[in-house]
């Protein structure tokens, strides 16, 4: 038994029917659905049976039947069918036509892409970054101006947290000022130490190159052996001093 009908080798003897010669809306070869086609003889939808050798399933015709007789089969029964089309392209075309035939309010894209929503901004009173005293004061005053619930000594939850943050920074300010003063003192001491050690370092550097500099100066003062050039002025051996 075949999955689509009774296994049979019978055909109607006609040449195979090519789907490329049939109107695209007169057959259904979707991979997930039962294959079917409009019979070219009787014009009714009929199943296509077979796995590799496809044919139209046997079905009755429209002739007159007297009492007790079996209706004659349609001449289109067991018609061989050959799928000579690109099934994916045909299916895409049919889907497009189906969407185009729908009312505008029922249409929707085959695939929808949604842009991910960005995370909501973290409230200022929940930011864990270091907030200075001036910044905490500005944020608190700006919230008081914009918030209708923060009036007099009453605060909303956010306003109360901002007020606590400002008070905390205010209490920490003396310790931070002392820390900044200590850092400044350390930098001044380091600069004075570098200034005091600069002459000693320069003297030590000069001692390392003193003898090579003296040898270079001695070589520079020597006059090479040989006669002076026959043409041109003599090369001065004494340093020239420009008087103004």
């Amino acid at each position: 038994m075949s999955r689509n009908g009774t296994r049979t080798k019978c055909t109607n003897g006609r040449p195979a029917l090519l789907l490329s010669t049939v109107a695209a809306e007169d057959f259904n070869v979707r991979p997930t659905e039962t294959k079917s086609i409009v019979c070219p003889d009787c014009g009714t939808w009929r199943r296509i049976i077979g796995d590799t050798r496809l044919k139209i399933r046997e079905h009755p015709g429209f002739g007159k039947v007297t009492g007790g007789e079996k209706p004659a089969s349609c001449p289109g029964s067991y018609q061989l069918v050959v799928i000579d089309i690109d099934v994916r392209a045909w299916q895409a075309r049919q889907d497009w036509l189906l969407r185009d035939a729908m009312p505008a309010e029922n249409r929707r894209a085959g695939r929808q892409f949604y842009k991910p929503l960005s995370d909501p901004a973290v409230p200022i009173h929940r930011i864990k970054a270091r907030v200075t005293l001036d910044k905490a004061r500005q944020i608190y005053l700006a919230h008081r101006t914009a918030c209708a619930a923060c009036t007099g000594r009453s605060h909303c939850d956010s306003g109360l947290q901002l007020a606590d943050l400002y008070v905390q920074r205010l209490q920490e300010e003396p310790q931070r000022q002392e820390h900044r003063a200590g850092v400044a003192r350390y930098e001044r001491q380091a600069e004075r130490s570098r200034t005091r050690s600069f002459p000693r370092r320069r003297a030590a550097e000069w001692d390392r190159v003193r003898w090579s500099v003296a040898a270079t100066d001695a070589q520079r003062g020597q006059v090479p052996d040989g006669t002076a050039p026959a043409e041109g002025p003599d090369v001065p051996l004494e340093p020239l001093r420009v008087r103004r």
Side-chain angles (χ1 to χ4, degrees), residues 97-183:
L97 292 174
L98 182 61
R99 289 195 299 269
D100 190 59
M102 288 182 178
E105 59 272 11
N106 294 338
R107 298 177 189 171
R108 59 179 301 175
R111 295 185 64 186
Q112 296 184 356
F113 299 91
Y114 299 93
K115 183 178 180 181
L117 299 176
S118 58
D119 296 334
V122 180
I124 298 177
H125 62 274
R126 294 178 56 189
I127 297 178
K128 297 181 180 180
R130 186 67 182 179
V131 181
T132 61
L133 175 62
D134 294 338
K135 189 66 176 179
R137 180 176 178 274
Q138 294 174 6
I139 295 174
Y140 172 68
L141 294 179
H143 176 80
R144 290 275 301 184
T145 303
C147 183
C150 295
T151 57
R153 293 187 177 182
S154 61
H155 296 84
C156 64
D157 294 340
S158 299
L160 183 60
Q161 295 184 18
L162 291 175
D164 293 341
L165 178 63
Y166 174 65
V167 173
Q168 182 180 359
R169 294 296 181 266
L170 191 63
Q171 294 174 350
E172 295 175 352
E173 187 62 20
Q175 183 178 0
R176 292 166 55 189
Q177 290 181 355
E178 183 179 357
H179 174 71
R180 289 196 294 266
V183 172

Side-chain angles (χ1 to χ4, degrees), residues 25-36:
E25 63 273 11
D26 289 345
F27 60 87
N28 179 19
V29 290
R30 296 176 184 270
T32 58
E33 298 179 7
T34 302
K35 296 180 178 63
S36 59

Side-chain angles (χ1 to χ4, degrees), residues 33-243:
E33 298 179 7
T34 302
K35 296 180 178 63
S36 59
I37 191 172
V38 175
C39 177
D41 290 86
C42 61
T44 59
W45 279 93
R46 297 299 175 180
R47 289 181 57 185
I48 297 177
I49 61 176
D51 295 328
T52 57
R53 196 177 186 210
L54 304 179
K55 61 185 70 174
I56 300 177
R57 189 174 185 179
E58 181 185 10
H59 55 280
F62 289 104
K64 295 183 178 180
V65 180
T66 59
E69 294 183 359
K70 182 178 180 181
S73 298
C74 176
S77 301
Y78 301 122
Q79 171 65 50
L80 291 176
V81 178
V82 176
I83 301 178
D84 61 338
I85 62 172
D86 186 348
V87 177
R88 290 186 178 180
W90 169 85
Q91 183 174 353
R93 174 68 177 175
Q94 292 301 111
D95 292 342
W96 181 83
L97 292 174
L98 182 61
R99 289 195 299 269
D100 190 59
M102 288 182 178
E105 59 272 11
N106 294 338
R107 298 177 189 171
R108 59 179 301 175
R111 295 185 64 186
Q112 296 184 356
F113 299 91
Y114 299 93
K115 183 178 180 181
L117 299 176
S118 58
D119 296 334
V122 180
I124 298 177
H125 62 274
R126 294 178 56 189
I127 297 178
K128 297 181 180 180
R130 186 67 182 179
V131 181
T132 61
L133 175 62
D134 294 338
K135 189 66 176 179
R137 180 176 178 274
Q138 294 174 6
I139 295 174
Y140 172 68
L141 294 179
H143 176 80
R144 290 275 301 184
T145 303
C147 183
C150 295
T151 57
R153 293 187 177 182
S154 61
H155 296 84
C156 64
D157 294 340
S158 299
L160 183 60
Q161 295 184 18
L162 291 175
D164 293 341
L165 178 63
Y166 174 65
V167 173
Q168 182 180 359
R169 294 296 181 266
L170 191 63
Q171 294 174 350
E172 295 175 352
E173 187 62 20
Q175 183 178 0
R176 292 166 55 189
Q177 290 181 355
E178 183 179 357
H179 174 71
R180 289 196 294 266
V183 172
R185 287 195 301 269
Y186 173 79
E187 292 180 351
R188 289 195 298 269
Q189 292 176 0
E191 183 63 26
R192 287 196 296 267
S193 177
R194 287 193 295 269
T195 303
R196 288 193 300 266
S197 63
F198 180 74
R200 296 194 299 270
R201 187 172 67 254
R202 290 290 294 172
E205 293 174 353
W206 176 250
D207 290 339
R208 288 198 298 269
V209 299
R210 182 187 303 276
W211 298 108
S212 60
V213 171
T216 303
D217 291 340
Q219 293 178 1
R220 188 183 301 113
Q222 295 177 0
V223 179
D225 298 335
T227 58
E231 299 178 358
D234 295 337
V235 178
L237 301 179
E238 298 295 332
L240 298 179
R241 294 180 176 85
V242 180
R243 296 181 180 180

